[in-house]
Amino acid sequence: ETFPMCLRRNGTTIARRLMEIHADGCVYVSADLAEGERLRIASGDPIAIISEAQRTHAELCEFSPEAVFIVNCMGHYTMLQQNNVYEYTAISRTVPTHGFYSYAEFFRSKGKFMKTNLMMVSVGSREGGETQRRRRSTSPYRRSSAIRLRSSPTSCTLSMP
Protein backbone atom coordinates (compact mmCIF):
# COMPACT_ATOMS: atom_id res chain seq x y z
CA GLU A 1 0.00 0.00 0.00
CA THR A 2 1.34 3.44 -0.90
CA PHE A 3 0.64 6.87 0.45
CA PRO A 4 -2.38 8.46 -1.22
CA MET A 5 -2.00 11.53 -3.40
CA CYS A 6 -4.23 14.60 -3.07
CA LEU A 7 -5.09 17.44 -5.41
CA ARG A 8 -7.34 20.49 -5.42
CA ARG A 9 -10.15 20.58 -7.95
CA ASN A 10 -13.16 22.87 -7.99
CA GLY A 11 -12.13 24.23 -4.57
CA THR A 12 -12.17 20.76 -3.00
CA THR A 13 -9.34 18.45 -1.96
CA ILE A 14 -9.76 15.01 -3.51
CA ALA A 15 -7.63 11.88 -3.26
CA ARG A 16 -6.06 9.47 -5.69
CA ARG A 17 -4.44 6.15 -4.92
CA LEU A 18 -1.22 5.26 -6.70
CA MET A 19 -1.93 1.93 -8.32
CA GLU A 20 1.34 1.37 -10.20
CA ILE A 21 4.65 3.12 -10.70
CA HIS A 22 6.36 2.18 -13.97
CA ALA A 23 10.12 2.00 -14.56
CA ASP A 24 9.96 5.07 -16.83
CA GLY A 25 8.49 7.17 -13.97
CA CYS A 26 4.96 7.07 -15.31
CA VAL A 27 2.29 6.44 -12.66
CA TYR A 28 -1.16 4.87 -12.86
CA VAL A 29 -3.69 6.37 -10.45
CA SER A 30 -7.14 5.20 -9.41
CA ALA A 31 -9.14 7.99 -11.08
CA ASP A 32 -8.81 10.80 -13.59
CA LEU A 33 -6.16 13.52 -13.58
CA ALA A 34 -6.21 16.58 -15.77
CA GLU A 35 -3.03 17.75 -17.44
CA GLY A 36 -1.27 20.29 -15.24
CA GLU A 37 -2.93 19.24 -11.96
CA ARG A 38 -0.45 19.07 -9.11
CA LEU A 39 -0.42 16.12 -6.76
CA ARG A 40 0.87 16.11 -3.23
CA ILE A 41 1.68 13.18 -0.99
CA ALA A 42 -0.77 12.62 1.84
CA SER A 43 -1.03 10.17 4.70
CA GLY A 44 -3.95 8.54 6.45
CA ASP A 45 -4.51 9.13 10.15
CA PRO A 46 -6.85 6.37 11.42
CA ILE A 47 -8.02 8.36 14.44
CA ALA A 48 -8.76 11.44 12.33
CA ILE A 49 -10.62 9.32 9.74
CA ILE A 50 -12.82 7.68 12.35
CA SER A 51 -13.38 10.94 14.27
CA GLU A 52 -14.48 12.70 11.07
CA ALA A 53 -16.83 9.83 10.20
CA GLN A 54 -18.38 10.07 13.65
CA ARG A 55 -18.74 13.85 13.39
CA THR A 56 -20.40 13.52 9.99
CA HIS A 57 -22.77 10.82 11.19
CA ALA A 58 -23.67 12.89 14.26
CA GLU A 59 -24.61 15.68 11.81
CA LEU A 60 -26.60 13.18 9.76
CA CYS A 61 -28.56 12.19 12.90
CA GLU A 62 -29.82 15.79 13.12
CA PHE A 63 -31.64 15.07 9.85
CA SER A 64 -33.41 12.14 11.62
CA PRO A 65 -33.00 9.60 8.81
CA GLU A 66 -35.05 6.42 8.74
CA ALA A 67 -32.24 4.64 6.87
CA VAL A 68 -28.65 5.37 5.88
CA PHE A 69 -26.84 4.07 2.81
CA ILE A 70 -23.03 4.01 3.15
CA VAL A 71 -20.45 3.63 0.36
CA ASN A 72 -16.99 3.29 1.84
CA CYS A 73 -13.68 3.12 0.01
CA MET A 74 -11.68 -0.11 0.02
CA GLY A 75 -8.69 2.08 0.86
CA HIS A 76 -10.22 2.74 4.29
CA TYR A 77 -10.77 -0.98 4.76
CA THR A 78 -7.15 -1.68 3.83
CA MET A 79 -5.73 1.05 6.05
CA LEU A 80 -7.97 0.61 9.10
CA GLN A 81 -7.97 -3.20 8.96
CA GLN A 82 -10.08 -4.64 11.80
CA ASN A 83 -10.88 -1.10 13.00
CA ASN A 84 -12.91 -0.24 9.89
CA VAL A 85 -16.18 -0.89 11.73
CA TYR A 86 -15.60 2.16 13.95
CA GLU A 87 -16.45 4.37 10.98
CA TYR A 88 -20.10 3.34 10.97
CA THR A 89 -20.87 1.24 14.07
CA ALA A 90 -22.48 3.96 16.19
CA ILE A 91 -24.89 5.12 13.48
CA SER A 92 -25.78 1.48 12.78
CA ARG A 93 -26.99 1.20 16.38
CA THR A 94 -29.40 4.10 15.83
CA VAL A 95 -30.59 3.79 12.22
CA PRO A 96 -30.78 0.84 9.79
CA THR A 97 -27.74 1.04 7.54
CA HIS A 98 -26.86 -0.65 4.27
CA GLY A 99 -23.88 -0.27 2.02
CA PHE A 100 -20.75 -1.66 0.47
CA TYR A 101 -17.08 -1.02 -0.17
CA SER A 102 -16.02 0.49 -3.50
CA TYR A 103 -12.89 1.46 -5.37
CA ALA A 104 -14.19 4.93 -6.29
CA GLU A 105 -16.81 7.26 -4.92
CA PHE A 106 -18.75 10.06 -6.59
CA PHE A 107 -19.84 13.26 -4.94
CA ARG A 108 -20.99 16.74 -5.87
CA SER A 109 -19.09 19.89 -5.01
CA LYS A 110 -20.24 23.34 -6.09
CA GLY A 111 -22.64 21.84 -8.63
CA LYS A 112 -20.10 19.52 -10.27
CA PHE A 113 -19.91 15.75 -9.93
CA MET A 114 -16.45 14.41 -9.21
CA LYS A 115 -14.88 11.00 -8.78
CA THR A 116 -12.65 10.52 -5.76
CA ASN A 117 -11.04 7.84 -3.66
CA LEU A 118 -10.52 7.22 0.03
CA MET A 119 -13.87 8.69 0.98
CA MET A 120 -16.96 7.47 2.79
CA VAL A 121 -20.26 8.67 1.36
CA SER A 122 -23.33 8.45 3.63
CA VAL A 123 -26.83 9.20 2.38
CA GLY A 124 -29.72 9.49 4.83
CA SER A 125 -33.33 9.13 3.78
CA ARG A 126 -36.71 9.57 5.42
CA GLU A 127 -40.32 10.07 4.46
CA GLY A 128 -42.18 13.26 5.22
CA GLY A 129 -41.16 16.86 5.61
CA GLU A 130 -39.64 18.82 8.44
CA THR A 131 -42.79 18.86 10.57
CA GLN A 132 -43.55 15.17 10.04
CA ARG A 133 -40.20 13.71 10.93
CA ARG A 134 -39.44 11.93 14.15
CA ARG A 135 -36.79 13.78 16.11
CA ARG A 136 -34.04 11.57 17.50
CA SER A 137 -33.38 12.64 21.06
CA THR A 138 -29.67 11.89 21.11
CA SER A 139 -26.84 11.30 18.74
CA PRO A 140 -25.22 7.86 18.94
CA TYR A 141 -21.90 9.65 19.44
CA ARG A 142 -20.79 10.97 22.79
CA ARG A 143 -19.10 14.31 22.32
CA SER A 144 -16.61 13.59 25.07
CA SER A 145 -15.64 10.12 23.87
CA ALA A 146 -12.02 9.63 22.97
CA ILE A 147 -10.51 7.19 20.54
CA ARG A 148 -7.32 5.46 21.60
CA LEU A 149 -4.95 3.88 19.12
CA ARG A 150 -3.13 0.70 20.04
CA SER A 151 -0.46 -0.36 17.64
CA SER A 152 2.11 -3.02 17.01
CA PRO A 153 4.62 -3.23 14.18
CA THR A 154 2.06 -5.05 12.01
CA SER A 155 -1.33 -3.68 12.99
CA CYS A 156 -3.20 -1.09 15.01
CA THR A 157 -6.29 -1.32 17.17
CA LEU A 158 -8.59 1.55 18.01
CA SER A 159 -10.71 1.53 21.13
CA MET A 160 -13.51 3.81 22.13
CA PRO A 161 -14.59 4.06 25.79
Side-chain angles (χ1 to χ4, degrees), residues 23-141:
D24 66 357
C26 186
V27 296
Y28 173 69
V29 294
S30 55
D32 65 311
L33 289 176
E35 188 172 334
E37 284 183 316
R38 303 180 111 197
L39 296 173
R40 58 188 166 99
I41 296 175
S43 64
D45 177 353
I47 293 173
I49 291 168
I50 291 168
S51 295
E52 179 63 16
Q54 291 177 344
R55 185 196 64 74
T56 301
H57 283 155
E59 254 181 52
L60 185 59
C61 285
E62 294 298 315
F63 173 71
S64 300
E66 294 173 341
V68 175
F69 183 73
I70 300 171
V71 179
N72 202 351
C73 183
M74 277 301 291
H76 283 203
Y77 182 83
T78 302
M79 182 175 32
L80 297 176
Q81 300 171 17
Q82 72 272 16
N83 300 303
N84 69 77
V85 297
Y86 288 120
E87 282 192 286
Y88 53 83
T89 301
I91 199 160
S92 296
R93 284 187 233 129
T94 306
V95 178
T97 58
H98 306 279
F100 59 89
Y101 285 95
S102 71
Y103 285 99
E105 301 77 46
F106 292 89
F107 74 107
R108 185 171 54 192
S109 174
K110 298 180 182 172
K112 295 185 178 188
F113 282 97
M114 294 189 285
K115 181 179 179 183
T116 191
N117 301 117
L118 304 170
M119 178 182 271
M120 180 170 59
V121 178
S122 302
V123 179
S125 63
R126 68 165 190 245
E127 291 186 13
E130 179 75 25
T131 58
Q132 297 171 331
R133 69 181 177 156
R134 292 178 293 143
R135 190 85 175 132
R136 299 208 186 280
S137 58
T138 58
S139 165
Y141 303 95

